[in-house]
Amino acid sequence: MDINAFRTELEEDWEWRLDELRLLKNLSAPLDDNKANTYRRSLVVFLYAHFEGFFQFALSHYIKTVNDQSIPCAQANTHLVSATIHDVFKALRDDSAKCSYFKAHAPEDTKLHRFFREIQFVENSTEIYSTKVQIKITSVDLESNLSPLVFKKNLYKLGLPHEIDRDIEVNLNKLLGIRNKIVHGERRDGVNRNDYEGFELSVAQTVSQAMINLTKSCVEKLFLKEEFR
């Protein structure tokens, strides 16, 4: 694994987004306060879009990097094993879900069908640990919006640090709330400089910490169980 290349791709993706945000922000400099506040409505939408876009890219990049290591599930941390066999778990919860893991003919009795799958899961569990970690990119689920809660859930699923500073979390929730009201036509008020700069700082801090955590996971091989690092 080329750690420098991994980190460079994260930085380059955020840098082009940051350049665009700086350009748009600079255009508001000549405006009076009222017009600048109105203009920052658009900045809020762009800021959120780039925050969400970076997060989608960063986790997808991390998943691809982990997948490329061809790690046996027996050596991977349990979060990544669970993510790898997501379809198996889905089939365990939903009797009608198709899954190649459950190959034998199931009983006709619907009440026995789930129990039958559970038995197969236990009997064939060694097969899971002999396979390689292969996480679907679609496991990154931003749901309808990238809220701090959704941000944390996605990190948790991949076994990554997922705590966010309380003040930053409050600011990100406020950013999302205002953004949603703007795009849904529920808010016509402008956004003042202090609020926008608070959103901007919270996004930058969250992005920076995410890059640190993702890079650390690669450097220290946190995607492996402790005994295999």
Side-chain angles (χ1 to χ4, degrees):
M1 181 189 300
D2 187 335
I3 302 299
N4 289 332
F6 174 83
R7 179 59 184 250
T8 296
E9 287 206 43
L10 292 178
E11 290 175 347
E12 287 180 349
D13 185 81
W14 180 240
E15 193 59 37
W16 80 260
R17 298 176 187 280
L18 199 55
D19 285 345
E20 183 170 279
L21 289 168
R22 288 191 189 114
L23 173 63
L24 295 172
K25 184 179 178 181
N26 288 341
L27 293 176
S28 68
L31 303 177
D32 61 43
D33 287 344
N34 287 335
K35 289 182 179 179
N37 288 348
T38 300
Y39 181 82
R40 275 189 286 269
R41 285 163 43 85
S42 299
L43 285 180
V44 161
V45 175
F46 274 101
L47 177 63
Y48 171 82
H50 280 312
F51 174 52
E52 186 176 66
F54 171 79
F55 187 65
Q56 176 78 51
F57 170 80
L59 286 197
S60 298
H61 181 44
Y62 177 74
I63 288 172
K64 183 180 183 303
T65 300
V66 171
N67 286 345
D68 288 347
Q69 306 313 301
S70 297
I71 305 163
C73 284
Q75 298 179 14
N77 73 46
T78 53
H79 292 256
L80 298 186
V81 176
S82 296
T84 295
I85 61 171
H86 171 77
D87 288 345
V88 177
F89 286 136
K90 181 179 178 181
L92 277 174
R93 292 188 292 265
D94 180 3
D95 298 339
S96 63
K98 303 297 182 182
C99 180
S100 59
Y101 184 81
F102 303 108
K103 300 173 183 176
H105 183 67
E108 294 295 334
D109 190 312
T110 54
K111 291 184 179 180
L112 282 177
H113 193 89
R114 178 166 298 184
F115 186 60
F116 164 79
R117 288 193 170 193
E118 290 170 350
I119 291 172
Q120 282 207 306
F121 178 79
V122 173
E123 288 179 344
N124 300 318
S125 58
T126 54
E127 181 182 326
I128 291 173
Y129 286 99
S130 67
T131 59
K132 306 291 187 182
V133 168
Q134 279 297 309
I135 305 166
K136 292 182 178 179
I137 297 299
T138 52
S139 65
V140 178
D141 184 6
L142 304 187
E143 302 180 19
S144 57
N145 291 123
L146 180 58
S147 66
L149 178 59
V150 171
F151 179 87
K152 291 189 287 187
K153 284 195 292 185
N154 278 276
L155 293 173
Y156 176 79
K157 284 193 295 185
L158 295 175
L160 295 163
H162 56 279
E163 295 305 318
I164 302 177
D165 178 85
R166 178 59 184 163
D167 290 339
I168 291 177
E169 186 167 355
V170 168
N171 238 5
L172 292 178
N173 274 321
K174 186 176 179 182
L175 166 64
L176 175 58
I178 292 176
R179 176 263 182 192
N180 285 346
K181 288 182 178 179
I182 290 172
V183 298
H184 295 150
E186 299 170 9
R187 174 176 172 136
R188 297 184 179 182
D189 294 342
V191 177
N192 66 54
R193 182 189 300 275
N194 287 340
D195 279 348
Y196 179 77
E197 290 183 349
F199 300 150
E200 192 177 45
L201 179 60
S202 292
V203 165
Q205 289 173 324
T206 306
V207 166
S208 176
Q209 191 60 54
M211 284 198 276
I212 289 170
N213 290 340
L214 290 169
T215 306
K216 180 180 179 181
S217 180
C218 291
V219 170
E220 300 182 7
K221 298 185 177 179
L222 300 182
F223 42 79
L224 299 177
K225 292 178 181 177
E226 285 190 26
E227 60 265 34
F228 296 105
R229 293 173 190 167

